[in-house]
Every structure is written in structure tokens, then in C-alpha cells.
Amino acid sequence: MKKHLAACVLMCSLAVLSASAQKMNTLTAKEKADGWKLLFDGKTTNGWHSARGGGFPATGWAVQDGTITVTETGGEEAGNGGDIVTDRTYSNFELSVDFKTSPGANSGIMYFVNLDLMPWHNGHGSPVGFEYQILDDALHPDAKRGKDGDRTVASLYDMIPAAADKPIKPVGEWNTARIVVRGKHAEHWLNGVKVLEYDRDSPEFKAILAASKYHVFPQYGQETSGYILLQDHGFPVWFRNIKIRELH
């Protein structure tokens, strides 16, 4: 009798877990009620286009197994298909993205992207914006560059390092990036933990900007809206569950 009861309890528990498991690239009823919108449906490239203009890149990206994926092209920044951006701009928002990297990979999630600023490599690199760094900290050399780890995963690239005790999962496993922007205040989260925050109007941020490579752009940091971008850096990186809600 006890064994039968235990088996029933186990089966009921598994059924509850199965029912509660959310399907990839979907929104729950609560998320919809809270204002979340999908930026990737898991099947198509709808909602995204090339940062260089025109439609979605013909090479450098693939939609497969419910992910939107950067394909291998040797690690060059925006050297093949190039970066992709959302079809519209955003101001105040909460963005959530699952990402998975390959060994030695480099990529990024950029926000407040200004497509009129594409200065690197004679216009063939990434446009300028704030970047949530995606990196294999152990193998990619960029992790050792910059200052105090400000080019490591989840950092505000070349400006503010993520917390040293950030809860990063190993290469090949899924992580969740979260970016929250309310006015001049912004936060980076990794796997449910806030790893940095900043205020763009603060003296501290202005000093950080002046010491970064972005100091050459007078308008950098003053954008009130911009595109969201996924970076093609020529390494296999996978994205899924890309969703956003606008904050008012």
C-alpha cells in the first residue's frame, strides 16, 4: 500500500512538473498580462534585420532547434552576416535573453544602439551602443583586456565589470541575461542575480565613459532610445527565449 501511494505521489509530481514546464520561446498567461512580448518566435527571423540595413542577413546566422544562432566564421567582428537588430527602438524596458556559448566564443547583447554610429573597420564592424558582454572568460583573450575585468561576461563592455562572484554556468550550458533600463538607471542581471548597475547622469559614470574607448563619441551615453542588437562575432553562440516588456 505504501509503495503504491509513493508511486502515485511520484507520478502526480511528475505530471505537475511536466504541466508547469514552459515551452521554449513562448509566454505564460502571467507574462502576457504583465506586458511581455516575444522578440523571437523560435521558428523565423521575424522582427529582426541586418544592422547594415535591408533584410535579414543571408549568411552568418541560422534559426535551428528553437534558437537563433551565430554561425562559425573565424571570430571576426561582424565580418560575415553582421549584427542583427530589432525592427524598432526601445527606451525603458526589461529584456530577458537565454544564451549559450561555444568554447572561446565572443558575442554581445547591445542596447541603445545608434545605427548612425558604425565607426569600426570602415563601417564593417558593430555599431555603437551599450553592450552586455557575452564571452568565454576562460578562453577568449578579451577577458584579460580592458580594465578590472570590464570585458568579461555580463559586464557593461569596456566600462563596468560584472561582479566577480557572478553565477555564470559553464560553456555549453544555458545562461539567462537580463537588462533593465529605467530612465538613466540600468542594471545587468545574470541567472537571476544582479551583477552591476549604473546611472548615466552620475559623475562616476561620466568618469568611466571618459576613460573608455567610447569617449570619442560626444553623444554616447545620452541616447534616450535605440535598437537592441545581437552581435555576430564569428563564434557559434545560441539565443532563445528573447522577450521584452516596456516600462512606463
Side-chain angles (χ1 to χ4, degrees), residues 1 30-31 55 57 60 70 81 87 102 158 176 179 208 239:
M1 181 68 178
K30 185 178 187 309
E31 285 175 324
V70 183
D87 285 348
S102 57
D158 204 56
T176 300
I179 301 167
I208 290 169
F239 300 97

Side-chain angles (χ1 to χ4, degrees), residues 18-89:
S18 176
S20 63
Q22 185 175 348
K23 188 177 180 181
M24 291 298 101
N25 306 303
T26 63
L27 297 174
T28 64
K30 185 178 187 309
E31 285 175 324
K32 291 177 182 178
D34 289 343
W36 287 93
K37 305 289 185 184
L38 284 176
L39 291 180
F40 172 57
D41 62 14
K43 301 174 182 178
T44 71
T45 61
N46 293 344
W48 297 86
H49 64 273
S50 171
R52 299 171 183 166
F56 196 85
T59 60
W61 293 86
V63 174
Q64 54 190 25
D65 301 324
T67 72
I68 190 165
T69 305
V70 183
T71 57
E72 173 66 58
T73 55
E76 183 182 355
E77 180 183 346
N80 186 14
D83 305 329
I84 57 173
V85 295
T86 50
D87 285 348
R88 51 158 295 199
T89 60

Side-chain angles (χ1 to χ4, degrees), residues 122-199:
N122 297 317
H124 293 291
S126 293
V128 170
F130 292 85
E131 181 177 351
Y132 183 112
Q133 173 77 314
I134 292 177
L135 199 76
D136 178 353
D137 288 349
L139 295 181
H140 196 284
D142 217 23
K144 308 278 191 305
R145 298 170 182 154
K147 181 180 180 182
D148 299 328
D150 63 5
R151 295 188 178 188
T152 60
V153 68
S155 297
L156 178 63
Y157 178 75
D158 204 56
M159 300 185 74
I160 303 174
D165 60 351
K166 61 194 173 190
I168 185 69
K169 295 179 183 178
V171 168
E173 294 187 17
W174 286 102
N175 292 272
T176 300
R178 180 172 162 235
I179 301 167
V180 183
V181 176
R182 292 184 178 90
K184 299 290 186 178
H185 181 80
E187 301 169 356
H188 285 190
W189 294 67
L190 177 64
N191 296 324
V193 175
K194 184 165 64 176
V195 294
L196 68 84
E197 61 185 319
Y198 62 93
D199 289 283

